[in-house]
Amino acid sequence: MRITNNMIMGNTKTNINSNKINVDKYNTQMTTQKKINKASEDPVIAIRSLRLSTTMTHINQYVDNNIPDADAWMDVTYTALNNMKDLLTDIRTQCVNGATDTLTAEDRQVILKNLKALQDQVYTEGNADYAGRTVFTGYRTTENLTFDKDDNALSYDITENFTFENLEQHRYYYGSTTVPTAATVNAGTNCTDNIGRDSFYRIRLAYDQVDNLNVGSIQFTDADKNVIPGTTAAPTAYDSYEDWVNDPTYGNFQTGDNAVFIRSTGELIVSDSIAEAAMQNKGSLSVSYTRTGFTEGELKPEFYFDCVKNPGQPDEITFTLENQEINYTIANSTQLTINTQARDVFNFNIDRDVTEMIDAVSYAINAEKKVSDIKQMLESEQFADADNQEVLKTYLDAAQKESDLANDNLQKLYEKYIGNFDKYLKSVNTSITNVGSMQARLSLTQNRVENQQTTVEELKSSNEDREMSDIIIDYYAAYNAYTASLTAASKVGQQSLLNFL
Amino acid sequence: MASTFMGLNIGKSALATFQTAVNTTANNISNVRTAGYTRQTTEINATAALRVNAKYGSVGTGVEATAIKQTRNEYYDTKYWENSSSFGLYEQKLYYLDQIQTILKDDASQTGFSTIFANMFRALDSVITDGPGDLSTRNQFINKAQSLCTYFNSVYVSLRDIQEDCNQEIKTSVDSINAMSEKLALLNREIYNLEVRGGYANELRDERNVLLDQLSSMVKVETNEVNVYNTNGEDLGVTTYRIYINGQTLVDGFEHRSLEVTSSSYQKNQCDIDGMYSVVWSDTKMNFAVSGATAGGSLKALFAMRDGNNADPEKGKITAVDALSVPKTITVEELSVTQLEALAIADKGTLSIGNTTYYYEGFDIEMSEPGTISKLTFRLTGDNPEHNVTAGKLGALVDKGVTVGESVDAMGVPYYMTQMNQFIRVFAKAFNDIEKTGQTLDGDEMGAFFTAKSVTGNHYDFSDQQDVTNYGGQTTATFDHYDSTYFLLTAGTFEVNELSLRNARYFSTTKDITNGIDAYDIITKLETLQKGVTMFRGDDAESFLETLLSDISVDTNKTEIFCNNYGNLSSSLENQRTSVSGVDEDEEALDLIRFQNAYNLASKMISVMSELYNKLINETGV
């Protein structure tokens, strides 16, 4: 082939340019340390890199955001539950104290004082929050578990569901001795007869001071929702147990399928026949009732029951109880439930139990005081005559009977409630263990995800990054080729035959 | 016996001949750097011998330069032009593909779809962990969603800019083709005029070839040079030169044709720019074949990038026409694209039926089930030629196939636009459908989260299309193309609804807000839209860019390879061509020596002859 000088020059130019392209390529690689600059240079690398970036974003979200958040949330839960555990242990200690058969008046006072102090803070831990979000309240993180202030107008329709297991035998005490005055002593009243104790099956609602039941009759149903025969009754409502006792029908209560509702204590009392039928058939019962007026520190019903807030009002809200688990995605398709829901740990029976314990101890203190008052009267000059002594003796007997009953009740009740509080403690402890194991799982996952992060980073790097040393070697090779082509170009074309003519 | 002075004449002929040869060499040397210059050689022949009355019969009479010819091989020209049009095609295509690729880029240097999309879902996940009731987290998500919209809006604008550039460049190309056409015809005439008197119009032929080199990068060029004979069948020594571009005659001898661009208010695809040019021959008004198999060059690439829809336009069969209604309508069924999300036909566009183009100004969409188009009814405009839309003519169209817009087998701007629109529609619809099942933070019903804005500032929430899910007791629902359906949602109109942007409370995270403001059942559903749910071309949403990027990068990569190959071929053909026709200094220097020596000798011959005459005249017999 015939080669002209121009061709040599042209080819040299092309060659220099292709060398320059190489130098530019490696120079760019040197600054970016990436294999490619445009997707089209290697579509496979480009698309794999995109995919790895997306994976990286997911992992970063887990590592930087979700896992630390979940951890902090569970720390708050853990602390609150621990506090709850301490509190329950304290109450249980009071139960143990109260169950001792030799209690001095001072012991009782101490128990009373302690219980009252503890009752105030039973549910405060339920309002624990993480970054302004309450942790035990499910999705209602802006609301506290308990009412923040007293609201006498606030009303709820509450539907509570029970099973036969909620039926318990409870002792009721009626009659009360009065400490006689000078005038009454002279009248010679005897009051021993109407002091006594009865035992009934009862179902305790979650709230006391209930307005009324919203149902005319109650009935237990079995597992197939069929009404259990012999469990239907129309409860008669009384303001208090005393009112019922004063009712003439009191004595006939057990003679049929009867039920009574005590508003002040929120108790539904059923006759033994109903209770036995219900227990035999493993029945369950749904009770709907209205309560108006809530005080600070009481649990909000919507966290425990299906209920209607402000029924009949324009701002009526219907709450349906549902499982409100907050799940964080802590790794690819791994979800972790981070929240503990109030109803699993903050049992509404705790407050009710403590109230009953306080009532019992107050009752005992009261009865004891009556005894000591009457004893004091017996020893006083004023009532030293035989008649008065006689009358006062009967008073003393009555008071003593009341006091004995009260002490007996105190002991038995507290003994029983040791069991109750063990149960509450157990559920709190279970939750603590759950949170602990969740945190352990979280930290394992964190470890795994962090490893994954490193792996993806390495993959990403090996996919798109070039080793600096390789780039440098290539760069120098390209640069040498470029300089060599320049040197060659400087010689070629300098001369032609014309120079020698 | 020859003439006494014959030797002197022979010497003289040699002097003149080598003078010419040296001049040609001088011309070659001086044009050594001239673009397109072809090496010329002087043809030197012995002059006819003279019969003399002597025993030796005839004597040589000297030498003459018979012609100055180009050393050029036309085979290489043809090859070069052929290759040049392919090179021009891929070079131009690469230029625009590179731009699209840069627009869609998503890496450390530029934030693109994947990053923005991942950030949006990251913000959505943070709504769960930071509490859906928290306004600032909600706001953060809404803003990230708006970033996604803005991203698509800007890609839309950039793609349309590219389309606009292509369109402008088409006009410029046509202008320069016209200028060349005129000049080529002029050159043909001059060459003819020169050559008809004998000889070769070397410089003009070079000029013509340079022009053809340029032309061949824009369109496919073929030439045909035929000798001209007179009526007696005698060769006149001249030629007629014909030039064809994309298989059609551009120049025929002294006659040239020209192209013209006409801008149309009818579009080919939904998001096309206004005023797209089409190229027609000025004389016949017939379409200039720019995209066919016979076409090539950068002009083909410009059309491919501007109109390329991957040969996937809406097609169907005409099932009914209505020539009586005003406006007249054509109903098309058995559609190739039945998904509303994938519908990409222009609001006001063209229908190709057979070889005839019909113009429509709007259409009705009939859906048999939500999102599935069963029928399109096009309303024809008055721009249709009257004879096309007579009742008889229209009636004959029934059962014929129809293509809406144009089928262009390339992945150009319309292709990427359609892909984007399809993704946006599917994604926005899925997102909105989930959102609508929930409540806002105020407990109100939630509307569409992603909406479409119009140029007039209206906002569409696709409420019309929602109705079709109920059918109102009917089996089909019909919408106008401007009704509030997802057809209106494009990359250009994509936006987050105004209410959410103003008030972060307007975004649903749960079905029932009374369950607590931190309930997030809706968010959990929304999160499935990121991955796991098949959404776009059989893949999930977050792989959208991967799918699109693999299209563009593989296409660019392929084009790059072709461009390189044709570039290399181009330079090797150029080498071969110059190998034949290029000037080489060394060669010319040798020629110079040769011709100078010859001239010197001829000159010596004259002196020798002079001495001979001197001897004969002055000294012999005196």
Side-chain angles (χ1 to χ4, degrees):
Chain A
M1 188 170 157
R2 176 174 171 265
I3 303 289
T4 69
N5 291 63
N6 270 348
M7 281 164 74
I8 296 175
M9 296 298 270
N11 287 340
T12 312
K13 206 167 74 185
T14 318
N15 291 338
I16 291 176
N17 193 49
S18 56
N19 282 332
K20 260 175 157 168
I21 289 173
N22 273 340
V23 171
D24 177 55
K25 180 178 154 194
Y26 293 121
N27 188 36
T28 312
Q29 280 191 357
M30 196 104 95
T31 34
T32 61
Q33 296 189 27
K34 301 269 181 239
K35 280 180 195 161
I36 56 166
N37 192 34
K38 285 188 292 189
S40 58
E41 286 171 28
D42 191 335
V44 176
I45 289 183
I47 284 154
R48 196 186 294 147
S49 151
L50 209 56
R51 200 163 289 166
L52 289 170
S53 292
T54 310
T55 314
M56 203 63 199
T57 323
H58 290 309
I59 294 177
N60 284 344
Q61 169 78 1
Y62 308 142
V63 174
D64 302 346
N65 202 336
N66 294 6
I67 292 178
D69 266 8
D71 200 31
W73 180 290
M74 284 196 284
D75 272 348
V76 172
T77 313
Y78 187 80
T79 313
L81 288 176
N82 254 337
N83 290 345
M84 187 68 188
K85 186 178 95 180
D86 292 347
L87 190 92
L88 287 173
T89 314
D90 285 351
I91 299 177
R92 188 184 174 279
T93 311
Q94 301 308 320
C95 289
V96 174
N97 291 344
T100 322
D101 52 359
T102 52
L103 277 181
T104 64
E106 278 160 9
D107 290 341
R108 294 199 185 98
Q109 284 294 347
V110 171
I111 292 172
L112 180 65
K113 216 176 102 193
N114 282 339
L115 282 178
K116 279 191 167 162
L118 288 168
Q119 189 181 27
D120 286 343
Q121 28 168 318
V122 167
Y123 296 127
T124 45
E125 287 303 327
N127 298 334
D129 73 289
Y130 165 62
R133 302 168 72 197
T134 48
V135 294
F136 291 108
T137 50
Y139 300 148
R140 300 189 190 92
T141 52
T142 46
E143 286 175 41
N144 278 341
L145 181 65
T146 61
F147 289 101
D148 312 331
K149 57 178 197 302
D150 297 353
D151 189 344
N152 294 327
L154 187 63
S155 161
Y156 273 93
D157 274 357
I158 301 167
T159 306
E160 205 175 336
N161 294 313
F162 300 97
T163 67
F164 67 96
E165 283 164 338
N166 296 107
L167 280 167
E168 53 172 358
Q169 282 229 304
H170 190 71
R171 288 175 299 280
Y172 292 89
Y173 296 85
Y174 55 86
S176 151
T177 324
T178 42
V179 177
T181 58
T184 51
V185 169
N186 290 333
T189 321
N190 189 333
C191 42
T192 319
D193 293 343
N194 52 2
I195 289 175
R197 175 173 81 179
D198 270 320
S199 183
F200 297 109
Y201 279 102
R202 70 155 184 190
I203 278 176
R204 190 174 63 183
L205 306 184
Y207 292 92
D208 54 10
Q209 313 297 343
V210 172
D211 298 2
N212 220 333
L213 289 183
N214 296 335
V215 285
S217 70
I218 56 154
Q219 56 203 23
F220 280 89
T221 51
D222 62 17
D224 302 327
K225 305 276 175 208
N226 297 321
V227 177
I228 300 167
T231 60
T232 309
T236 322
Y238 296 97
D239 278 341
S240 63
Y241 177 66
E242 282 76 32
D243 282 0
W244 180 33
V245 172
N246 293 334
D247 193 296
T249 59
Y250 179 75
N252 305 328
F253 182 67
Q254 296 290 14
T255 58
D257 298 339
N258 289 317
V260 154
F261 180 65
I262 314 284
R263 295 191 189 100
S264 59
T265 53
E267 287 169 302
L268 184 66
I269 301 169
V270 295
S271 56
D272 292 355
S273 59
I274 294 183
E276 276 153 20
M279 285 192 282
Q280 247 168 23
N281 294 296
K282 298 189 188 321
S284 52
L285 172 71
S286 175
V287 177
S288 163
Y289 55 95
T290 308
R291 187 190 199 218
T292 307
F294 287 85
T295 52
E296 183 187 342
E298 277 189 295
L299 293 172
K300 290 183 180 169
E302 60 259 38
F303 293 111
Y304 291 86
F305 310 109
D306 288 346
C307 56
V308 182
K309 189 179 181 181
N310 295 321
Q313 304 290 318
D315 54 349
E316 176 182 298
I317 304 172
T318 307
F319 294 105
T320 311
L321 191 65
E322 56 166 27
N323 198 15
Q324 298 195 326
E325 283 180 355
I326 297 179
N327 293 309
Y328 281 9
T329 311
I330 51 164
N332 192 11
S333 64
T334 307
Q335 295 230 320
L336 187 74
T337 306
I338 53 143
N339 68 329
T340 307
Q341 292 175 63
R343 63 174 182 276
D344 296 337
V345 279
F346 299 97
N347 195 316
F348 51 81
N349 280 321
I350 297 172
D351 184 50
R352 297 280 271 151
D353 282 358
V354 173
T355 311
E356 279 184 358
M357 282 159 68
I358 290 173
D359 286 350
V361 75
S362 314
Y363 188 57
I365 289 170
N366 208 14
E368 179 69 28
K369 188 167 178 295
K370 285 179 195 167
V371 173
S372 68
D373 281 355
I374 294 169
K375 276 186 179 160
Q376 215 170 9
M377 282 171 81
L378 271 171
E379 285 158 14
S380 77
E381 286 288 316
Q382 197 187 345
F383 306 107
D385 61 298
D387 282 354
N388 276 341
Q389 285 283 317
E390 182 98 353
V391 174
L392 276 176
K393 276 254 170 60
T394 58
Y395 271 104
L396 183 62
D397 286 348
Q400 195 60 54
K401 186 180 177 188
E402 189 184 339
S403 173
D404 287 348
L405 282 173
N407 272 334
D408 180 49
N409 180 42
L410 188 67
Q411 257 180 40
K412 284 183 175 157
L413 190 76
Y414 277 36
E415 252 168 44
K416 183 180 161 200
Y417 283 2
I418 291 175
N420 276 5
F421 277 91
D422 279 343
K423 212 170 69 199
Y424 306 143
L425 264 173
K426 199 176 155 200
S427 75
V428 171
N429 277 331
T430 311
S431 294
I432 291 177
T433 322
N434 277 344
V435 172
S437 58
M438 286 291 187
Q439 278 189 310
R441 195 179 142 208
L442 187 69
S443 87
L444 280 178
T445 311
Q446 184 173 17
N447 216 331
R448 188 162 59 84
V449 176
E450 275 168 0
N451 279 339
Q452 221 176 343
Q453 193 178 31
T454 323
T455 315
V456 174
E457 252 163 27
E458 275 168 11
L459 277 175
K460 203 164 175 311
S461 173
S462 74
N463 178 52
E464 62 193 37
D465 293 350
R466 275 203 80 189
E467 196 65 41
M468 196 60 183
S469 52
D470 288 354
I471 307 176
I472 291 173
I473 291 166
D474 284 347
Y475 179 76
Y476 278 112
Y479 192 78
N480 283 340
Y482 173 58
T483 3
S485 66
L486 285 184
T487 319
S490 68
K491 300 284 177 227
V492 81
Q494 256 185 6
Q495 303 262 323
S496 77
L497 188 56
L498 289 171
N499 296 77
F500 300 96
L501 292 185
Chain B
M1 173 80 193
S3 156
T4 313
F5 295 102
M6 190 166 177
L8 199 60
N9 275 333
I10 293 174
K12 189 190 128 203
S13 79
L15 271 184
T17 303
F18 290 114
Q19 177 78 53
T20 311
V22 166
N23 282 349
T24 307
T25 306
N27 192 37
N28 279 342
I29 292 171
S30 55
N31 278 304
V32 72
R33 300 272 176 262
T34 308
Y37 179 80
T38 307
R39 181 166 62 106
Q40 298 173 3
T41 46
T42 318
E43 270 184 27
I44 297 171
N45 290 100
T47 45
L50 194 68
R51 179 87 196 163
V52 287
N53 210 1
K55 196 175 184 186
Y56 51 81
S58 56
V59 288
T61 55
V63 69
E64 64 175 349
T66 49
I68 298 174
K69 272 194 170 168
Q70 290 188 316
T71 46
R72 194 172 180 104
N73 189 336
E74 272 156 28
Y75 171 76
Y76 288 129
D77 284 333
T78 316
K79 278 280 158 209
Y80 181 83
W81 294 331
E82 210 171 272
N83 183 69
S84 169
S85 70
S86 298
F87 179 56
L89 168 73
Y90 286 106
E91 196 184 28
Q92 185 77 69
K93 205 172 156 191
L94 183 62
Y95 171 76
Y96 283 107
L97 283 176
D98 234 3
Q99 287 190 33
I100 297 180
Q101 179 175 261
T102 312
I103 291 170
L104 295 174
K105 195 170 172 178
D106 186 2
D107 59 12
S109 64
Q110 185 185 320
T111 311
F113 171 80
S114 285
T115 312
I116 293 170
F117 194 70
N119 281 344
M120 178 177 122
F121 275 93
R122 212 180 145 163
L124 188 63
D125 200 43
S126 295
V127 173
I128 298 180
T129 56
D130 293 350
D134 184 46
L135 281 187
S136 64
T137 7
R138 293 167 80 92
N139 216 2
Q140 201 177 353
F141 165 72
I142 292 168
N143 281 322
K144 296 278 184 204
Q146 182 59 27
S147 304
L148 182 75
C149 298
T150 317
Y151 167 77
F152 277 116
N153 295 160
S154 72
V155 173
Y156 169 84
V157 171
S158 309
L159 282 179
R160 275 170 63 103
D161 281 350
I162 290 178
Q163 208 177 22
E164 183 71 53
D165 288 351
C166 288
N167 201 34
Q168 285 310 317
E169 212 169 323
I170 285 171
K171 189 171 187 302
T172 323
S173 298
V174 167
D175 287 347
S176 57
I177 289 173
N178 283 342
M180 283 186 213
S181 161
E182 198 182 337
K183 190 137 187 229
L184 283 166
L186 207 66
L187 279 170
N188 277 352
R189 180 185 292 276
E190 285 178 21
I191 290 167
Y192 183 91
N193 287 344
L194 270 175
E195 290 184 353
V196 81
R197 295 182 204 113
Y200 297 96
N202 291 332
E203 279 73 17
L204 293 175
R205 279 174 176 271
D206 282 346
E207 203 179 325
R208 187 167 67 188
N209 283 332
V210 168
L211 269 180
L212 285 170
D213 282 356
Q214 286 171 16
L215 187 64
S216 68
S217 78
M218 282 193 272
V219 283
K220 202 167 200 168
V221 170
E222 279 159 340
T223 61
N224 181 13
E225 188 168 17
V226 287
N227 291 335
V228 178
Y229 299 95
N230 67 6
T231 42
N232 298 327
E234 292 165 343
D235 190 343
L236 294 181
V238 288
T239 56
T240 302
Y241 201 71
R242 294 198 187 91
I243 300 163
Y244 307 94
I245 56 173
N246 292 357
Q248 291 164 294
T249 309
L250 178 72
V251 177
D252 183 2
F254 310 156
E255 305 298 323
H256 76 275
R257 298 172 78 197
S258 58
L259 297 166
E260 63 182 33
V261 291
T262 53
S263 98
S264 163
S265 63
Y266 296 92
Q267 295 167 331
K268 292 176 177 165
N269 302 286
Q270 191 185 7
C271 289
D272 279 349
I273 52 162
D274 292 330
M276 293 222 292
Y277 293 121
S278 50
V279 182
V280 295
W281 289 105
S282 303
D283 45 6
T284 59
K285 303 293 175 203
M286 295 293 280
N287 273 336
F288 172 59
V290 272
S291 332
T294 51
S298 60
L299 197 60
K300 183 178 180 179
L302 289 172
F303 273 92
M305 293 316 293
R306 194 193 72 174
D307 299 337
N309 52 12
N310 204 22
D312 191 20
E314 180 74 297
K315 284 179 194 151
K317 199 171 96 176
I318 298 174
T319 53
V321 291
D322 191 344
L324 299 175
S325 68
V326 180
K328 301 179 174 77
T329 62
I330 291 181
T331 303
V332 182
E333 287 181 71
E334 296 177 28
L335 299 161
S336 59
V337 178
T338 54
Q339 252 194 306
L340 182 76
E341 285 84 16
L343 190 66
I345 61 179
D347 291 347
K348 188 180 171 196
T350 57
L351 301 173
S352 306
I353 306 165
N355 287 326
T356 322
T357 302
Y358 293 83
Y359 298 94
Y360 67 87
E361 57 181 5
F363 54 89
D364 280 339
I365 306 164
E366 186 194 276
M367 285 190 242
S368 58
E369 51 189 278
T372 305
I373 308 166
S374 50
K375 200 191 273 182
L376 288 170
T377 303
F378 294 93
R379 295 189 290 275
L380 301 179
T381 66
D383 287 350
N384 288 294
E386 272 311 309
H387 61 271
N388 269 357
V389 291
T390 55
K393 185 96 180 188
L394 276 183
L397 294 180
V398 175
D399 280 346
K400 285 201 172 155
V402 59
T403 303
V404 186
E406 202 182 332
S407 171
V408 179
D409 189 8
M411 289 197 253
V413 170
Y415 172 74
Y416 290 103
M417 202 69 107
T418 307
Q419 295 284 307
M420 253 191 342
N421 290 347
Q422 188 177 347
F423 168 74
I424 290 169
R425 286 172 190 164
V426 173
F427 178 73
K429 184 166 187 301
F431 199 96
N432 285 348
D433 286 351
I434 294 174
E435 269 293 285
K436 279 180 180 172
T437 59
Q439 287 183 336
T440 68
L441 202 51
D442 297 319
D444 299 327
E445 207 174 286
M446 178 68 196
F449 182 76
F450 287 113
T451 55
K453 59 171 180 271
S454 74
V455 275
T456 51
N458 286 334
H459 300 277
Y460 298 102
D461 61 357
F462 323 115
S463 48
D464 285 349
Q465 194 185 338
Q466 286 307 307
D467 294 341
V468 79
T469 50
N470 305 323
Y471 291 154
Q474 303 196 337
T475 50
T476 56
T478 306
F479 305 105
D480 218 303
H481 66 92
Y482 48 74
D483 279 341
S484 184
T485 65
Y486 279 96
F487 178 66
L488 295 180
L489 185 63
T490 66
T493 63
F494 194 36
E495 57 161 13
V496 170
N497 73 85
E498 278 188 310
L499 280 173
S500 295
L501 286 179
R502 271 202 302 256
N503 180 4
R505 305 177 71 85
Y506 191 75
F507 168 60
S508 75
T509 53
T510 175
K511 279 196 172 71
D512 184 2
I513 203 76
T514 57
N515 286 339
I517 55 168
D518 274 4
Y520 59 91
D521 43 310
I522 296 279
I523 299 184
T524 314
K525 282 189 189 163
L526 291 178
E527 281 190 325
T528 61
L529 297 182
Q530 185 181 16
K531 52 177 178 176
V533 176
T534 303
M535 189 153 288
F536 179 75
R537 284 165 63 175
D539 216 335
D540 50 19
E542 69 176 5
S543 307
F544 162 68
L545 185 66
E546 290 165 26
T547 322
L548 216 54
L549 202 68
S550 72
D551 281 349
I552 181 75
S553 58
V554 170
D555 200 18
T556 313
N557 186 258
K558 199 173 73 184
T559 311
E560 222 165 56
I561 290 168
F562 276 119
C563 188
N564 260 333
N565 289 352
Y566 284 110
N568 288 338
L569 210 54
S570 216
S571 52
S572 95
L573 281 168
E574 174 68 31
N575 260 345
Q576 283 175 343
R577 200 158 71 154
T578 42
S579 163
V580 174
S581 60
V583 178
D584 182 56
E585 279 111 321
D586 298 336
E587 233 173 48
E588 299 305 323
L590 275 173
D591 279 353
L592 207 56
I593 295 166
R594 268 170 44 208
F595 296 136
Q596 193 186 5
N597 279 344
Y599 187 86
N600 285 353
L601 272 175
S603 160
K604 187 74 188 169
M605 190 66 223
I606 301 281
S607 345
V608 169
M609 288 310 288
S610 169
E611 280 172 28
L612 283 180
Y613 293 132
N614 189 34
K615 187 60 106 188
L616 180 69
I617 297 166
N618 294 331
E619 293 178 26
T620 309
V622 178

